[in-house]
Amino acid sequence: MTRLSLPTNLAETAEGAAEPGLAAWVADLPRVVNAVAQRWAVRLGEPFQPGGRCSWVAPARDPAGRDLVLKVGWVHPEARHEAEGLTFWAGEGAVILHAADTFDATSALLLERCRPGTSLNQAVAEPEQDMVVAGLLLRLWREPAAGHPFRDLRVMCHEWAAGFERRLRAAPDIVDPGLARAALDLLRTLPGSAQRHVLLCTDLHAENILAAEREPWLVCDPKPYVGDPTYDPMQHMLNCEERLVADPGGFADRLAGLLGLEPARLRLWLFARCAMESVESPMLRDVATRLLPA
């Protein structure tokens, strides 16, 4: 491959990269993609647009004529264990993983291609998205066997709490102190008080759910952790900004009903995430205030 087109999001991220190593990885991407394509003997098309911010993803076809997708990603903490998660789910509600390799700063995945591949957010209105998201999560939530490689949700939440504290020290007036203390306490205690520990997607939202032929909808791009299933609707809810702002408690209760979760616990998770995210998203300060536990 003499020329490699970059999807818009990856090009923008590389240009303003704050993460050490990402710009260098993108600069070397033509060589890496060509090497992976040769190793797996696949012919590649142009990358999907606008694409992800840390990966290059394009249609591929192998010598047997299978219609596939090649995902070449930059290895960073957030993206760990995608291959292991897809192997665990084995196509049950998620795309099938055909091959995987990790080398240097690169993770390469050869995946099932979803056709027509329309994302859920482009296809249906948000209330219907709720039902699709819930149906998929209920299928994906299974307890992995002992010795699994996945990180505990507590790891992510403790890292978030530490980062939240650093931002508060830099701008102490940006979030009400009482609200911040309550959110920090929940980020550190909620994961450990869960009654169930299942494999989570953690980043499931309507853009990561694609229309397919094998099943109506399939999950892609999971970021697996093991922990409280009540956490997993968070990203979908945060992406539905208008409904979240209009009635955060009612929205949480709706998702809890669809998922068979405890509504009060889901409200606590939503409060903690909104309080933390309110540093960068001021509109969430009011949402967090309305959800603040009594």
Side-chain angles (χ1 to χ4, degrees):
M1 179 180 292
T2 58
R3 183 186 68 86
L4 188 76
S5 299
L6 290 182
T8 303
N9 286 339
L10 181 59
E12 290 178 353
T13 303
E15 185 176 350
E19 294 284 354
L22 178 57
W25 179 80
V26 172
D28 195 38
L29 200 52
R31 181 193 65 80
V32 171
V33 169
N34 188 52
V36 172
Q38 289 185 3
R39 183 180 311 167
W40 286 333
V42 292
R43 291 183 290 109
L44 300 175
E46 290 295 305
F48 297 110
Q49 294 286 359
R53 299 203 170 272
C54 295
S55 61
W56 187 92
V57 186
R61 192 172 294 274
D62 71 2
R66 289 187 301 178
D67 200 11
L68 303 168
V69 166
L70 177 65
K71 178 177 182 179
V72 179
W74 179 55
V75 173
H76 58 290
E78 186 179 322
R80 287 173 60 188
H81 302 312
E82 179 179 355
E84 292 88 344
L86 293 174
T87 299
F88 176 80
W89 287 311
E92 179 68 22
V95 295
I96 293 171
L97 175 68
H98 291 286
D101 191 16
T102 301
F103 55 94
D104 301 326
T106 297
S107 168
L109 306 177
L110 198 59
L111 303 163
E112 170 185 12
R113 183 170 183 183
C114 296
R115 286 192 178 274
T118 310
S119 62
L120 180 64
N121 68 310
Q122 294 176 320
V124 301
E126 284 185 6
E128 187 178 344
Q129 291 175 23
D130 296 347
M131 293 184 282
V132 175
V133 167
L136 288 166
L137 286 176
L138 288 170
R139 296 172 64 195
L140 296 174
W141 287 343
R142 290 183 280 125
E143 183 179 349
H148 65 76
F150 306 108
R151 293 168 290 181
D152 194 291
L153 183 63
R154 285 175 287 192
V155 173
M156 182 167 68
C157 291
H158 280 244
E159 290 174 352
W160 278 350
F164 190 22
E165 284 186 319
R166 286 193 297 270
R167 285 175 286 173
L168 291 171
R169 285 195 295 269
D173 298 327
I174 199 166
V175 178
D176 174 80
L179 187 147
R181 284 194 299 272
L184 284 166
D185 180 66
L186 286 170
L187 286 171
R188 289 181 170 126
T189 60
L190 269 176
S193 65
Q195 298 300 306
R196 295 176 62 200
H197 292 83
V198 299
L199 190 61
L200 310 172
C201 284
T202 77
D203 190 33
L204 186 61
H205 53 81
E207 292 182 22
N208 283 346
I209 298 172
L210 304 179
E213 294 174 340
R214 183 171 61 84
E215 293 192 11
W217 301 102
L218 291 171
V219 170
C220 67
D221 197 26
K223 295 174 175 58
Y225 283 78
V226 170
D228 184 2
T230 314
Y231 173 83
D232 236 7
M234 285 301 102
Q235 197 57 54
H236 170 63
M237 298 179 73
L238 290 169
N239 282 21
C240 299
E241 292 182 354
E242 289 187 8
R243 288 194 295 159
L244 182 61
V245 170
D247 184 10
F251 192 15
D253 292 349
R254 169 174 166 78
L255 265 295
L258 290 171
L259 288 161
L261 300 171
E262 182 183 344
R265 188 173 179 86
L266 184 50
R267 286 182 180 227
L268 291 177
W269 270 118
L270 187 59
F271 160 73
R273 275 296 304 269
C274 287
M276 182 183 72
E277 302 286 349
S278 71
V279 175
E280 282 80 28
S281 182
M283 73 168 188
L284 292 179
R285 291 174 200 164
D286 177 64
V287 174
T289 300
R290 291 155 67 191
L291 290 167
L292 180 64

